[in-house]
Amino acid sequence: MHPLKRLLAYAQGHRREIRAATLYSILNKFFDILPEVLIGAAVDVVVRGEQSFLAKNILVGVGITDTWQQLLFLGALNMVVWMGESWFEFLLELKWRGLAQNIQHELRLDTYGHVQKLELAYFENQRTGSLMSILNDDINQLERFLNGGANQIIQVVCSSLMVSAVFFALQPGLALIALLPVPAILFGTFWFQKRLAPRYAEVREAAGDVSARLNNNLLGLATIKAFATEKLEADHIAQASQGYLESNARAIRLSSAITPVIRMGILAGFTATLVYGGWLTIHGDLAVGAYSVLVFLTQRLLWPMTRLAEVADMYQRSMAATQRALGLLDTPIRIAYEGEHFPVAQARAALRFEGVGFAYAEQPTLQDLNLEVPAGQTVAFVGSTGSGKSTLVKLLLRFYEPQQGRILFDGRPISELNLQDLRRCIGYVAQDSFLTDGTIAENIAYGMAEASDAQIHEAARLSESLEFIARLPLGFATRVGERGQKLSGGQRQRLALARAILKNPPLLILDEATSAVDNETEAAIQRSLNVVSQGRTTLVIAHRLSTVRQAHCIHLLEHGRIVESGTHEQLLAQGGAYAALWRLQTGEL
């Protein structure tokens, strides 16, 4: 489907506003061309006096035949026309710009909301910067078109119809000659427009490449500086920007040719009216006033068509951008949010994995995994990198769906549960926890807007965060910076744990939560966990075996399978892979 049709289908909720805006554009153009008619009428009054068309056909009923009175009438009418044109100009600007803002706002929110519902597998093949380009710049392109381009298209069509009607009413023969270039102008515009479409699609893709590269480099600026690769990355940006420049240049070369072509058509139409209309007037076949009207109307009709080049350019840019935005909105959501609602407060978080299998591409990560986690127990998963520990948690959170088997939560398959209810039952602390660019208090209460200051303070105490928060300039009101960059890694992890504690979920998951912190922070987090894990199901993924010694059960994974299970003491007594790993980490022989 053409992107314009798709856009109109998307904007169905604004049909009433679109109709009103279109009406204002038409009325504005009607009043806009009337001054030319009044100029012709004034010339006719001055030349013919009481024998003018106005005196003999319009004002005769009210007894106005005097030349001066006719001019006064035209002056008053001119004021009404200009006020009408200005009023509808105000209304159309108000309506079209309001529509542009509303549709842009709704499309951005709908698209972002849709993106949030996509499974993580989708983002593995996407670049964040490219998505940012769609959500920001592409949707802004649509706003620019709706702000002015839609009105210009409507007014070009209306002026063509209105002026043509006047022409044929005054002099049909001249109308055919003067308006003959119009179809050629429109055909040429559409011809260029069709060839511009793929070029602007290429421009939008190139813009996405630039945005992706910039986003990647800004996020990795510390690494770039550490490796002294500023020149290398500047060259990469220059390469991406050069691609954008060249794509734009190819589009500009074509779009720049539209205006000269249109001007040639305008020249032909205006010259025909000027010369042939003058010849008819000299020979008495056309009144002087009518000749004046036609000359001015030809200019009023044809010269605005030079803006078709600008409109066509704006239109194709916006349609290419709209296609990308609506294409993103069409991306299927493969993990359904809907499902059976259940009261989070009554959840026990008893888990069972039945024959669960999962693979990234062709590489198996979990194979026929069977596991039961009783409610209220702390269960740990250890093993080498790539053994499937984090994948197990991601399946439980439904970031991905199992390709074989199923996972049960309190005896019910998680695929049948409402996704938001399921995730409200889970407190998740990852290795690299996300912090917003807000205050300490806002980050602890993330997702818990109703939390009181006392509850936030207690969560900070339980996560052993109070000491470092007290040293900050504004305490709980201190802003942490983008992604928490003003804090150390250990401080960020303590806030992430405080956030999970405040949520008070029946299921707590720690995915390598202490792997990137110092020994002191690890010990503090471990003390907090010993407190907060009481009475709730807790899953701990760790490389450091010292952090999981107190777990009710420890599972060792290798190549997506559980190869050993038991308590710390039982596993050491078995003398297997776990015991060997323990000796390696502790230095015991």
Side-chain angles (χ1 to χ4, degrees), residues 202-218:
E202 182 183 331
V203 169
R204 299 316 314 152
E205 289 297 327
D209 290 341
V210 173
S211 181
R213 176 64 70 175
L214 287 170
N215 180 75
N216 184 72
N217 284 11
L218 290 174

Side-chain angles (χ1 to χ4, degrees), residues 357-369:
F358 185 81
Y360 295 101
E362 301 300 322
Q363 183 64 37
T365 306
L366 293 176
Q367 304 179 61
D368 194 27
L369 187 139

Side-chain angles (χ1 to χ4, degrees), residues 469-581:
I469 293 174
R471 294 196 301 267
L472 296 174
L474 300 175
F476 281 90
T478 303
R479 300 189 71 86
V480 303
E482 186 177 16
R483 300 184 65 85
Q485 61 185 349
K486 294 182 180 180
L487 303 178
S488 69
Q491 290 171 337
R492 289 197 295 271
Q493 284 302 85
R494 294 196 198 192
L495 290 186
L497 180 57
R499 176 191 293 169
I501 292 171
L502 180 63
K503 189 176 182 181
N504 192 28
L507 173 60
L508 180 63
I509 297 176
L510 294 104
D511 187 359
E512 303 283 8
T514 62
S515 62
V517 299
D518 56 63
N519 290 334
E520 179 184 352
T521 301
E522 180 186 358
I525 292 176
Q526 191 61 48
R527 287 193 298 270
S528 300
L529 287 176
N530 291 337
V531 175
V532 301
S533 62
Q534 298 300 317
R536 79 178 80 239
T537 307
T538 305
L539 303 185
V540 183
I541 294 174
H543 274 107
R544 298 180 187 175
L545 302 187
S546 59
T547 63
V548 299
R549 292 180 60 179
Q550 305 303 319
H552 293 94
C553 187
I554 302 170
H555 300 284
L556 176 65
L557 276 75
E558 288 184 3
H559 307 297
R561 298 180 184 274
I562 295 176
V563 294
E564 292 183 14
S565 298
T567 64
H568 175 71
E569 290 74 16
Q570 290 171 342
L571 292 172
L572 288 181
Q574 290 177 15
Y578 179 89
L581 187 59

Side-chain angles (χ1 to χ4, degrees), residues 346-401:
Q346 297 178 16
R348 298 172 53 252
L351 307 175
R352 189 161 74 247
F353 296 78
E354 297 180 348
V356 173
F358 185 81
Y360 295 101
E362 301 300 322
Q363 183 64 37
T365 306
L366 293 176
Q367 304 179 61
D368 194 27
L369 187 139
N370 293 280
L371 170 68
E372 188 157 352
V373 179
Q377 287 199 1
T378 297
V379 175
F381 299 92
V382 298
S384 60
T385 300
S387 60
K389 304 184 302 296
S390 293
T391 299
L392 185 147
V393 168
K394 290 174 181 177
L395 293 177
L396 180 57
L397 283 159
R398 292 192 70 199
F399 291 163
Y400 302 91
E401 294 281 41

Side-chain angles (χ1 to χ4, degrees), residues 52-75:
S52 70
F53 177 84
L54 190 64
K56 295 179 66 175
N57 295 279
I58 297 176
L59 298 180
V60 64
V62 295
I64 298 177
T65 57
D66 180 72
T67 301
W68 176 243
Q69 290 179 339
Q70 291 182 64
L71 290 175
L72 289 176
F73 172 80
L74 289 174

Side-chain angles (χ1 to χ4, degrees), residues 115-285:
V115 167
Q116 286 193 123
K117 294 180 179 180
L118 297 175
E119 73 284 1
L120 285 185
Y122 170 81
F123 298 96
E124 293 170 359
N125 299 315
Q126 302 293 325
R127 293 176 297 176
T128 303
S130 182
L131 293 174
M132 285 289 294
S133 176
I134 295 174
L135 291 168
N136 189 31
D137 192 43
D138 285 352
I139 293 177
N140 287 343
Q141 288 285 348
L142 171 61
E143 179 202 1
R144 294 185 193 109
F145 171 70
L146 291 175
N147 264 341
N151 172 62
Q152 290 182 32
I153 291 174
I154 291 169
Q155 292 202 333
V156 165
V157 172
C158 289
S159 62
S160 300
L161 295 174
M162 292 175 186
V163 172
S164 298
V166 175
F167 259 80
F168 279 102
L170 294 177
Q171 179 51 253
L174 179 59
L176 289 173
I177 297 174
L179 298 177
L180 192 60
V182 171
I185 291 172
L186 296 177
F187 174 80
T189 301
F190 289 127
W191 186 89
F192 277 105
Q193 187 186 88
K194 185 176 180 180
R195 281 150 184 79
L196 275 172
R199 301 197 181 197
Y200 278 126
E202 182 183 331
V203 169
R204 299 316 314 152
E205 289 297 327
D209 290 341
V210 173
S211 181
R213 176 64 70 175
L214 287 170
N215 180 75
N216 184 72
N217 284 11
L218 290 174
L219 290 176
L221 199 55
T223 302
I224 292 171
K225 288 179 177 293
F227 282 84
T229 54
E230 290 92 341
K231 175 66 168 59
L232 174 65
E233 293 303 335
D235 290 342
H236 287 160
I237 296 297
Q239 183 179 0
S241 186
Q242 181 68 26
Y244 178 63
L245 185 150
E246 291 173 358
S247 298
N248 251 319
R250 286 189 288 271
I252 290 170
R253 277 195 295 270
L254 186 60
S255 67
S256 297
I258 302 176
T259 299
V261 170
I262 291 175
R263 282 179 176 272
M264 292 303 100
I266 291 170
L267 175 63
F270 187 73
T271 301
T273 305
L274 189 69
V275 175
Y276 183 59
W279 185 86
L280 291 174
T281 304
I282 292 171
H283 289 81
D285 294 326

